[in-house]
Amino acid sequence: MIRMNQFVNICFGVALAMTLATVADADEFKLSNSQRISCSRGLSAGKLNTATCKSYAYIFNARTSEYFRCQVSLALTRDNKEVINVQADGSCAKKPRIFETDSSYSFDATETEPPNTNSFFGPGGYSIWASDNTTQKVRGCITISSGLGSDISKCLDMTFN
């Protein structure tokens, strides 16, 4: 009976240590503070009105510096009397790490303004700022649409003068 109790206590101790190790290495995801929304309206044949809204947000892994760009959209079509159709869609796309090593990071993100008639590069782009909470290290990244099917992204380490 004593050996069984010791065995149970050892198993419990090992399980507790593994749980604590997992919690210590657990990823921490943070939502960006600067979500954006843009909407447009259009007229269709037969006096139909369509409104489309899109919103973007960023989810950031504060340990690994990987992030996800998330988008949700809603399209509403109506005539003069009733709503005819409502469509919604959304997903998150995984993006590469900003820093090569794990640490404790902070970040923020922002989207460019929606495209207009003067827009040369199509839908625009976004910027990400990330900093290491354990040392004086900041990296700024800008991603823009090339207009040719692929995005161009560059990250720069900031210098402190």
Side-chain angles (χ1 to χ4, degrees), residues 106-159:
S106 296
F107 90 113
D108 204 357
T110 188
E111 292 278 332
T112 60
E113 293 298 317
N116 58 41
T117 55
N118 297 324
S119 179
F120 179 73
F121 288 111
Y126 59 92
S127 65
I128 299 285
W129 286 92
S131 65
D132 191 328
N133 296 328
T134 63
T135 186
Q136 190 176 29
K137 187 175 186 179
V138 177
R139 190 168 285 173
C141 303
I142 294 181
T143 301
I144 63 170
S145 171
S146 69
L148 303 172
S150 61
D151 290 345
I152 304 298
S153 183
K154 291 290 182 183
C155 294
L156 295 174
D157 288 329
M158 300 296 110
T159 57

Side-chain angles (χ1 to χ4, degrees), residues 27 64 131:
D27 291 344
T64 68
S131 65

Side-chain angles (χ1 to χ4, degrees), residues 36-41 50-56 71-76 87-89:
R36 298 284 188 256
I37 186 169
S38 63
C39 297
S40 63
R41 289 189 289 168
T50 301
T52 303
C53 293
K54 291 182 180 180
S55 182
Y56 304 91
Q71 173 183 314
V72 62
S73 64
L74 175 75
L76 168 77
Q87 294 179 341
D89 190 18

Side-chain angles (χ1 to χ4, degrees), residues 72-83:
V72 62
S73 64
L74 175 75
L76 168 77
T77 304
R78 68 175 186 89
D79 60 14
N80 291 334
K81 297 179 183 177
E82 65 181 333
V83 172

